[in-house]
């Protein structure tokens, strides 16, 4: 790419909802560019709020998580434009990384599995089990830990559609031998350049500590799940938490691959 800056577009799917995701994504990109010595040009597009979609001129695209149902918006203008953009990115072989809500919409659109509500909302630092070797997982253990915050899930993979688009399931959610429910799909390689995950690899340890200890967030979790759940979450956020390893590796691995491919 020579001396020209690496152009990165972030599609903001938060629809104006308060979040730490955008801040963490910005930090990862800036830390990565400083560490690698890359000049970057970063632009944010308000996709859900204002139907803003980036053009084809960017080298790398990241699409965030966000609130709400990945099913109910299928006929909304922003969603129609977004899924057309996904198809175009696939056709022209652009590097795209999809986080949680974006990943769920992509799975719904390409019909790669059943998108449905969980029996209860999932939140906390939880294990993710990788199924394949891939550059995305460089430096991570076969089972690594990631922040989850989701009410929806992808289950019942559509093998015919997955094979047809040459995609590959990369990871599943934590093993639950005592729970007679199908494990959710946690990561898919849609193509050699498009990846999606159903967790939040952008979640940074200090940000999570602040978030879960903030009074209203703490009380909301206790009200919904009980004090024991809140205690389990914060106990996973000490200085030795494996969440930080995911933060420093997974999205940077994608960025590294994107500029080399």
């Amino acid at each position: 790419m020579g001396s020209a800056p690496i152009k990165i577009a972030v599609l903001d799917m938060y629809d104006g909802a308060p979040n730490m995701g955008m801040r963490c994504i910005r930090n990862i990109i800036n830390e990565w560019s400083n560490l690698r010595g890359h000049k970057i040009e970063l632009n944010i597009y308000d996709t859900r709020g204002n139907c803003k979609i980036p053009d084809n001129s960017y080298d790398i695209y990241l699409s965030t998580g966000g609130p709400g149902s990945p099913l109910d918006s299928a006929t909304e203008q922003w969603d129609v434009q977004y899924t057309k953009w996904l198809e175009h990115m696939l056709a022209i072989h652009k590097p795209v990384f999809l986080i949680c809500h974006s990943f769920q919409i992509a799975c719904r659109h390409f019909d790669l599995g059943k998108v449905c509500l969980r029996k209860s909302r999932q939140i906390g630092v939880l294990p993710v089990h990788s199924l394949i070797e891939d550059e995305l997982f460089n430096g991570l253990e076969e089972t690594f830990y990631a922040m989850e915050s989701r009410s929806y899930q992808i289950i019942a993979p559509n093998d015919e559609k997955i094979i047809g688009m040459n995609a590959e399931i990369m990871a599943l959610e934590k093993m639950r031998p005592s729970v007679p429910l199908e494990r959710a799909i946690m990561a898919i390689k849609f193509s050699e350049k498009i990846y999606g995950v159903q967790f939040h690899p952008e979640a940074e340890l200090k940000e999570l500590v602040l978030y879960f200890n903030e009074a209203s967030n703490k009380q909301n979790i206790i009200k919904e799940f009980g004090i024991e759940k809140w205690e389990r979450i914060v106990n996973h956020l000490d200085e030795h938490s494996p969440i930080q390893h995911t933060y420093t590796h997974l999205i940077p691995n994608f960025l590294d691959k994107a500029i080399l491919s």
Side-chain angles (χ1 to χ4, degrees):
M1 295 180 186
S3 59
I6 298 168
K7 293 185 64 179
I8 302 176
V10 176
L11 287 77
D12 179 353
M13 301 285 275
Y14 284 101
D15 199 20
N19 68 90
M20 74 178 81
M22 287 299 303
R23 184 166 60 252
C24 289
I25 288 169
R26 287 178 183 269
N27 289 342
I28 287 174
I29 292 171
N30 288 329
E31 290 166 7
W32 171 81
S33 65
N34 290 333
L35 184 64
R36 302 291 192 267
H38 297 312
K39 292 186 294 183
I40 61 168
E41 176 187 324
L42 176 63
N43 290 293
I44 312 296
Y45 289 81
D46 183 6
T47 299
R48 284 177 72 177
N50 286 303
C51 292
K52 299 296 185 182
I53 300 288
D55 61 26
N56 301 337
S57 67
Y58 290 89
D59 302 300
I60 301 171
Y61 301 80
L62 292 92
S63 188
T64 76
S69 166
L71 300 172
D72 295 345
S73 61
T75 59
E76 293 181 19
Q77 183 183 358
W78 72 263
D79 193 309
V80 173
Q81 290 185 197
Y82 180 77
T83 50
K84 286 181 180 177
W85 170 80
L86 280 175
E87 291 180 357
H88 188 53
M89 292 294 102
L90 188 65
I92 64 175
H93 308 292
K94 285 284 189 171
V96 179
F97 190 82
L98 308 167
I99 299 172
C100 205
H101 194 84
S102 297
F103 170 73
Q104 292 167 346
I105 289 177
C107 288
R108 182 209 75 207
H109 179 69
F110 292 115
D111 192 23
L112 300 189
K114 181 181 179 181
V115 184
C116 60
L117 272 170
R118 288 176 49 85
K119 293 191 71 173
S120 62
R121 185 163 73 99
Q122 181 78 292
I123 188 166
V125 178
L126 296 157
V128 176
H129 298 278
S130 60
L131 302 177
I132 65 172
E133 292 186 3
D134 189 272
E135 297 101 318
L136 190 72
F137 297 144
N138 283 351
L140 296 172
E141 299 292 334
E142 183 176 339
T143 297
F144 59 92
Y145 284 78
M147 178 67 203
E148 290 192 46
S149 179
R150 59 190 174 91
S151 298
Y152 289 80
Q153 61 182 353
I154 316 296
I155 57 172
N158 185 335
D159 294 332
E160 182 178 351
K161 289 292 181 69
I162 291 171
I163 293 169
M165 69 182 295
N166 203 28
E168 191 170 13
I169 295 173
M170 300 181 69
L172 297 176
E173 72 177 328
K174 67 177 182 177
M175 295 180 183
R176 302 171 298 173
S178 61
V179 179
L181 296 173
E182 185 174 357
R183 293 161 69 195
I185 300 168
M186 297 305 290
I188 289 178
K189 187 175 185 177
F190 292 84
S191 71
E192 278 302 313
K193 296 197 174 185
I194 299 180
Y195 290 85
V197 299
Q198 197 170 213
F199 51 88
H200 290 274
E202 79 278 16
E204 195 271 335
L205 181 58
K206 290 180 181 178
E207 293 276 359
L208 291 176
V209 170
L210 291 173
Y211 177 85
F212 285 109
N213 282 285
E214 195 275 325
S216 62
N217 292 331
K218 177 180 178 180
Q219 288 306 312
N220 287 339
I221 290 170
I222 291 172
K223 182 178 180 180
E224 184 175 358
F225 299 103
I227 185 65
E228 294 83 3
K229 174 73 169 181
W230 179 83
E231 289 176 343
R232 285 199 301 274
I233 292 172
V234 296
N235 286 340
H236 277 102
L237 298 175
D238 63 18
E239 61 183 2
H240 303 296
S241 175
I243 192 75
Q244 195 67 6
H245 201 63
T246 303
Y247 170 85
T248 58
H249 283 75
L250 202 141
I251 293 178
N253 286 344
F254 166 76
L255 296 172
D256 284 341
K257 181 178 180 181
I259 64 168
L260 293 173
S261 59

